Amino acid sequence: MKKIIIALDGPAGSGKSSSAKIASEKLGYIYIDTGAMYRAVTHSWLQMGLPLEDKYAEEVIAKTKVELKVTENGQRTFVNDIDVSEEIRTAEVTTAVSPVSAMGYVREKMVDQQREMGNQGGVIMDGRDIGTVVFPNADLKIFFVADPEVRAKRRQLELTAKGEKVTVEEIKQQIIARDKYDSEREISPLKQADDALLIDNTYMSLEEQADKIVKLTQKIIS
Ligand code: CDP
Ligand code: CDP
């Protein structure tokens, strides 16, 4: 059976990674979280104590080996063979990730790696520029959106479970600011590809969202 490339894009908290994880298991596909890759570079950058300026990008990238590996604890993110899956989700990294991701050199290197990981097909890749830049010929492209208030509430649930205290309003302002930064950057901004299917999942459960990916895929491969 044909193994296709599925590109999922959309703003923060629109359910891309969680639905991709479920759909990839159902389809037997590889899931690639490109946001985790940008977060890993950002984490490494902060660890090195360097200012977030373009001129350091080459040095940081040269010293940062990013890998996504499937382990007995699910998919994990590694930097130089160290599991940084928890560290890349801190507020510090979340604040710094958009400026780092806006840098041309960083994007060039990450996109090369992403294309290498996905070009055989049988892959679901999620991010901001997958359908527009990384795989413009992807067989299925979905652009997920959801109401910012709902996205903030979803994120708050996650953070509360981790013991972090933040209000929905604070999270909402942060995701709106990050989406704006990501949408307005010069290189590969967050944008719906012309041929991507727009799906609003404000009122969809995670399972329904994942099912939608699976059904659309089955329609293409059958
Ligand atoms: O999960 P969440 O929506 O918080 O974000 P993420 O998918 O982990 O992505 C973190 C950040 O990485 C985004 O806000 C973008 O700045 C950047 N990113 C990107 O520029 N291009 C991608 N393909 C994926 C993420
Ligand atoms: O990857 P992205 O930033 O687009 O979003 P996510 O990390 O997959 O989803 C953010 C949170 O929303 C997770 O806790 C999901 O379980 C939850 N979610 C939900 O409650 N309903 C949906 N339809 C999609 C996601």
Side-chain angles (χ1 to χ4, degrees):
M1 202 177 274
K2 193 183 168 205
K3 290 249 177 187
I4 66 166
I5 295 178
I6 304 168
L8 306 182
D9 291 298
S14 58
K16 301 178 298 296
S17 28
S18 357
S19 61
K21 250 177 242 164
I22 300 173
S24 67
E25 278 165 23
K26 290 194 175 162
L27 292 165
Y29 276 29
I30 296 166
Y31 163 56
I32 297 168
D33 179 353
T34 65
M37 297 172 69
Y38 289 98
R39 284 174 178 275
V41 171
T42 305
H43 169 67
S44 185
W45 201 306
L46 296 172
Q47 288 290 102
M48 289 179 202
L50 293 167
L52 301 179
E53 292 167 19
D54 276 54
K55 62 180 179 195
Y56 300 109
E58 204 170 332
E59 180 185 345
V60 175
I61 295 280
K63 290 182 181 161
T64 307
K65 180 179 70 169
V66 179
E67 289 172 296
L68 304 178
K69 290 190 213 168
V70 180
T71 72
E72 53 193 19
N73 298 317
Q75 193 175 113
R76 311 287 294 176
T77 308
F78 291 80
V79 165
N80 301 333
D81 302 312
I82 295 168
D83 187 340
V84 293
S85 310
E86 314 299 332
E87 290 85 341
I88 62 169
R89 306 279 160 199
T90 60
E92 203 191 0
V93 171
T94 301
T95 305
V97 68
S98 284
V100 168
S101 306
M103 295 180 200
Y105 188 82
V106 173
R107 301 208 71 80
E108 205 183 295
K109 296 294 161 185
M110 292 300 109
V111 169
D112 281 352
Q113 223 175 310
Q114 289 154 12
R115 286 187 179 141
E116 208 168 296
M117 292 192 275
N119 63 15
Q120 299 294 317
V123 66
I124 306 185
M125 196 174 281
D126 91 299
R128 304 293 187 284
D129 61 337
I130 312 304
T132 50
V133 175
V134 183
F135 286 116
N137 297 321
D139 308 86
L140 173 61
K141 297 184 190 179
I142 305 175
F143 194 81
F144 281 122
V145 291
D147 178 75
E149 181 84 19
V150 169
R151 290 190 277 130
K153 281 188 181 149
R154 291 172 179 170
R155 269 288 141 82
Q156 197 206 25
L157 270 177
E158 271 178 42
L159 295 171
T160 311
K162 283 201 259 176
E164 286 178 45
K165 266 199 191 148
V166 237
T167 66
V168 171
E169 193 50 38
E170 271 175 288
I171 302 175
K172 189 171 138 189
Q173 291 317 318
Q174 284 161 6
I175 61 175
I176 288 174
R178 188 146 59 91
D179 291 345
K180 184 168 158 36
Y181 199 116
D182 291 343
S183 308
E184 291 179 354
R185 70 179 175 222
E186 235 165 86
I187 312 164
S188 312
L190 162 65
K191 186 171 153 265
Q192 182 183 348
D194 294 336
D195 53 352
L197 198 63
L198 178 71
I199 299 180
D200 185 328
N201 60 65
T202 304
Y203 302 106
M204 269 189 203
S205 71
L206 182 54
E207 287 68 29
E208 284 171 329
Q209 189 173 342
D211 266 2
K212 195 89 198 165
I213 303 172
V214 174
K215 291 222 170 76
L216 287 165
T217 305
Q218 284 165 342
K219 220 164 130 188
I220 293 172
I221 59 179
S222 63

